[in-house]
Amino acid sequence: MRSRAAMAPNSASSALVAVIFYLFLTIVGAAQSNIGFREEIRRNLLNNGLGRTPQMGWNSWNHFACDIEEKLIRETADAMVSTGLAALGYKYINLDDCWGELNRDSKGNLVPKASTFPSGIKGLADYVHSKGLKLGIYSDAGTQTCSKTMPGSLGYEEQDAKTFASWEIDYLKYDNCQNTGTNPKERYPKMSKALLSSGRPIFFSLCEWGQEDPATWAPGLGNSWRTTGDIKDNWKSLITRADQNDKWASYAGPGGWNDPDMLEVGNGGMTTEEYRSHFSIWALAKAPLLIGCDIRSMSSVTLELLSNKEVIAVNQDKLGVQGKKVKKDGKLEVWAGPLSDKRVAVVLWNRGSSQAKITAYWSDIKLKSSTVVNARDLWVHSTQSSVQGQLSAEVGSHACKMYVLTPQ
């Protein structure tokens, strides 16, 4: 028989192994719990019907920044209906930053700014809902919002989610300022879980700016995630965001979408052709179509761009596959993606300074060489029959041509 002294090292080793095994099980359990939590969220998001196609609507920030009040929001809801945009699928009327008071109330609740939203957010939601539309709101995964004029939701996730649900909010844009340096992978799941437990289906739009590659982890948390920093109303910003968003194409799908930020169409900083390119690429890339101009006073040209039913149909296609850049020849590009019923959407995009001919060969867009298609020009609204092998067009500077190819 061994002595106790002889057995001690083995006992110590056994204890160490037991501790390591326990830690291993704890880590695995936590990981499985996290995976299970995200799968639960995904199931609930899909069951609620949220984000089956990219969201469409309006957001206050690009045009109005902090200059918002309830009269503007009510008039915007009215205009969304009267212009016919609501009937085309633009449903969300989204408040961005600056809607709240600087401090929470004595119970820790967020408070609508009395001077600009005297009827409160619930009253505003009732009005927007009466128009057949949905109301969105804004908060931040930090201690304050980006404007520093109101509190963020960090540490108040459950309380704020319940507040939003009690106001009958339909959408939350959740920003990333004043975030204390904490990893977003720790902060954003808390609000995701809180929304899921709020008792109301609320579309969750993560606005983390693409810093930690949210396409790789946010699909289990929300319905869209920003892949870029904020867009500006100029050509360089547009093409930069298009390219940054493009690399994550494979991560998007029904229930969750890559978000290269809101539309600048109609704000005045770009030409009509540049805005047409903006709208076309966002539609092809299954990006959210959130109008950022003042729709109460937009021009007929802006309305025509935003209300193109055929382009919107590409964005809202039930197959839900994000189109992407498939060919680049200097400043001349071909973007394409599959649609339902074996169709293909194609954008010929000239990012150069002079007119040029752009050709998409069937091999570029994953069509068999023998395939014969009808090519529908979505902006001219004309169809070219019996096209085979390639599609070519003369395209102006900073302009595009957009087609849907339907096999015969």
Side-chain angles (χ1 to χ4, degrees):
M1 182 180 291
R2 294 184 185 179
S3 68
R4 291 187 178 182
M7 292 175 63
N10 273 345
S11 298
S13 298
S14 298
L16 180 59
V17 169
V19 169
I20 292 173
F21 184 62
Y22 172 77
L23 290 173
F24 171 76
L25 290 178
T26 301
I27 292 169
V28 170
Q32 289 177 336
S33 175
N34 191 38
I35 292 170
F37 160 60
R38 293 189 179 188
E39 288 177 348
E40 177 192 358
I41 289 176
R42 168 62 68 212
R43 284 195 301 273
N44 278 274
L45 292 175
L46 292 175
N47 289 341
N48 288 334
L50 297 176
R52 299 310 297 261
T53 58
Q55 66 267 40
M56 297 176 62
W58 174 89
N59 178 284
S60 61
W61 184 259
N62 282 0
H63 190 87
F64 296 98
C66 276
D67 190 18
I68 57 172
E69 38 85 29
E70 72 176 55
K71 180 173 179 287
L72 162 67
I73 306 306
R74 289 172 183 254
E75 290 177 352
T76 297
D78 294 342
M80 193 70 91
V81 175
S82 65
T83 57
L85 289 170
L88 295 174
Y90 294 96
K91 297 296 186 184
Y92 290 104
I93 303 294
N94 293 345
L95 301 177
D96 210 283
D97 204 350
C98 310
W99 59 265
E101 296 285 6
L102 178 62
N103 298 307
R104 294 173 179 270
D105 68 14
S106 59
K107 296 181 180 179
N109 295 310
L110 294 169
V111 182
K113 196 171 182 180
S115 60
T116 48
F117 292 91
S119 301
I121 302 300
K122 177 59 168 65
L124 185 60
D126 290 344
Y127 184 84
V128 170
H129 291 156
S130 76
K131 298 292 179 177
L133 302 170
K134 297 178 182 295
L135 185 68
I137 207 163
Y138 167 99
S139 190
D140 188 282
T143 55
Q144 284 186 310
T145 63
C146 294
S147 68
K148 298 183 181 180
T149 64
M150 55 179 290
S153 291
L154 187 64
Y156 291 84
E157 292 87 359
E158 289 188 18
Q159 185 169 359
D160 291 352
K162 289 177 181 176
T163 295
F164 299 148
S166 73
W167 290 343
E168 297 188 4
I169 291 296
D170 304 293
Y171 185 114
L172 174 64
K173 176 183 174 182
Y174 202 44
D175 220 334
N176 195 32
C177 288
Q178 322 306 323
N179 59 42
T180 71
T182 309
N183 192 307
K185 296 176 188 178
E186 297 178 23
R187 290 178 286 114
Y188 282 86
K190 293 177 182 178
M191 180 55 82
S192 181
K193 187 174 184 179
L195 291 174
L196 190 63
S197 303
S198 70
R200 182 175 178 82
I202 298 177
F203 189 109
F204 189 28
S205 172
L206 291 79
C207 184
E208 181 265 2
W209 317 322
Q211 290 189 339
E212 296 290 333
D213 300 339
T216 63
W217 50 268
L221 299 177
N223 303 105
S224 68
W225 45 88
R226 278 278 292 280
T227 53
T228 73
D230 288 0
I231 195 171
K232 294 182 172 56
D233 188 18
N234 63 66
W235 177 251
K236 182 178 180 181
S237 180
L238 161 62
I239 61 175
T240 300
R241 270 124 202 94
D243 289 343
Q244 289 172 338
N245 185 66
D246 183 52
K247 67 183 289 188
W248 304 110
S250 64
Y251 291 86
W257 307 99
N258 292 314
D259 178 8
D261 206 7
M262 299 166 290
L263 295 167
E264 290 284 7
V265 178
N267 278 328
M270 288 185 264
T271 67
T272 298
E273 290 306 322
E274 289 170 342
Y275 282 141
R276 195 189 315 278
S277 295
H278 183 8
F279 194 66
S280 299
I281 292 295
W282 260 235
L284 182 86
K286 302 297 188 290
L289 298 182
L290 294 174
I291 299 169
C293 69
D294 186 351
I295 61 175
R296 302 172 304 170
S297 59
M298 63 183 166
S299 69
S300 59
V301 172
T302 296
L303 177 58
E304 182 182 2
L305 290 175
L306 294 172
S307 61
N308 186 318
K309 293 180 181 179
E310 295 187 80
V311 175
I312 291 171
V314 170
N315 179 261
Q316 297 290 299
D317 183 70
K318 63 183 179 181
L319 187 63
V321 175
Q322 179 173 327
K324 57 187 178 181
K325 187 186 304 188
V326 298
K327 181 182 178 182
K328 176 180 173 63
D329 181 10
K331 299 290 186 179
L332 309 180
E333 299 183 352
V334 177
W335 292 58
L339 301 174
S340 56
D341 302 321
K342 299 181 179 179
R343 298 170 301 145
V344 178
V346 179
V347 174
L348 308 180
W349 194 11
N350 181 359
R351 286 159 58 154
S353 58
S354 58
Q355 180 173 307
K357 183 179 182 179
I358 304 177
T359 299
Y361 294 96
W362 276 196
S363 58
D364 298 327
I365 58 178
K366 296 185 178 180
L367 284 177
K368 293 180 180 179
S369 59
S370 59
T371 303
V372 180
V373 305
N374 292 331
R376 177 69 173 177
D377 186 320
L378 304 191
W379 288 107
V380 177
H381 304 297
S382 65
T383 303
Q384 185 179 348
S385 300
S386 301
V387 181
Q388 186 173 351
Q390 65 187 63
L391 180 68
S392 299
E394 291 287 333
V395 185
S397 170
H398 291 192
C400 75
K401 292 279 191 178
M402 187 172 189
Y403 304 88
V404 168
L405 308 185
T406 304
Q408 290 185 350

